[in-house]
Amino acid sequence: MAFLEFGGNRTTVPAGEMLIGSGPECHLRLEGPGISQRAAVLTTAADQSVSVRKLDAAVAIEVNGIPLGAMPQPLLHGDKLTVGGQETMFVDERKSGSTQYVSAVNLQNLTPSAKPAQPGKATAATGGRLVSLVDGREYQIGSSIKFGRDASADVVVANSQVSRRHAEIMVTPRGYILVDSSTNGTWVNGERVVNQRLLARADIIKISEEEFRF
């Protein structure tokens, strides 16, 4: 089952179409100067995939901070959908998974041996972003960006081997630093991150089977 979370409440995404806006006929009613009566619509396909489409060109709609164009865009578990400045979260229970814990004694048998991270050339904090190498989605990095299996993460990786709070990229005076807090590890350019690593432009971050270019 899929939901939209807003203001601590969940609204079920029904079969067919779900209207978002300020009008009385909308399934999810949002209030604010940037909201029209019929701002957007979510459509559930026969395979249970959900996409969002803009109904009012005057309303600013973003998915993970990226403006929505004229064409429908599929929504994935954990996506942040912002409509007229009001942020909601798309939750797909089928993709939420569960955390798998691995004994530290056996961890070296499951993953390649970690080499000490050699910092690349620091990238200044001038508006970094991540691009998913799986589906091409972009994620803007503000003061930080969090990875995890939990739907509250900025980048949700729905896999049983991903921790609820897996890793975080933070902006520091040195540049962008990736901090790993997971059980099963985070990898940059094929090397396991030991506590933290300074990121360089075009680094490839791997979390479970998902890869992102920094």
Side-chain angles (χ1 to χ4, degrees), residues 151 156 164:
V156 175
R164 289 184 178 275

Side-chain angles (χ1 to χ4, degrees), residues 131-138:
V131 178
S132 169
L133 299 184
V134 175
D135 58 24
R137 295 201 174 202
E138 296 187 3

Side-chain angles (χ1 to χ4, degrees), residues 148-184:
R149 180 177 55 79
D150 194 86
S152 63
D154 300 305
V155 182
V156 175
V157 182
N159 187 288
S160 62
Q161 294 190 5
V162 176
S163 302
R164 289 184 178 275
R165 295 171 179 81
H166 195 95
E168 181 177 3
I169 297 176
M170 298 186 295
V171 179
T172 74
R174 296 170 56 202
Y176 290 91
I177 290 181
L178 174 66
V179 179
D180 176 61
S181 55
S182 69
T183 301
N184 293 332

Side-chain angles (χ1 to χ4, degrees), residues 79-210:
D79 278 350
K80 306 297 190 301
L81 175 63
T82 304
V83 180
Q86 304 289 333
E87 184 178 280
T88 71
M89 180 183 295
F90 179 71
V91 178
D92 186 346
E93 287 188 332
R94 299 172 304 161
K95 303 295 185 180
S96 57
S98 58
T99 301
Q100 175 181 332
Y101 293 97
V102 179
S103 168
V105 175
N106 298 322
L107 187 60
Q108 60 181 354
N109 298 325
L110 299 178
T111 57
S113 59
K115 298 179 181 179
Q118 298 297 322
K121 183 178 180 181
T123 301
T126 55
R129 65 190 177 101
L130 293 172
V131 178
S132 169
L133 299 184
V134 175
D135 58 24
R137 295 201 174 202
E138 296 187 3
Y139 301 87
Q140 301 296 323
I141 304 175
S143 58
S144 70
I145 190 168
K146 298 178 177 66
F147 301 83
R149 180 177 55 79
D150 194 86
S152 63
D154 300 305
V155 182
V156 175
V157 182
N159 187 288
S160 62
Q161 294 190 5
V162 176
S163 302
R164 289 184 178 275
R165 295 171 179 81
H166 195 95
E168 181 177 3
I169 297 176
M170 298 186 295
V171 179
T172 74
R174 296 170 56 202
Y176 290 91
I177 290 181
L178 174 66
V179 179
D180 176 61
S181 55
S182 69
T183 301
N184 293 332
T186 303
W187 308 81
V188 174
N189 301 333
E191 296 182 347
R192 183 168 182 170
V193 175
V194 181
N195 298 322
Q196 60 180 241
R197 172 161 176 159
L198 185 66
L199 293 174
R201 182 180 178 87
D203 277 350
I204 302 298
I205 300 166
K206 185 174 183 179
I207 295 177
S208 185
E209 300 304 315
E210 302 280 339

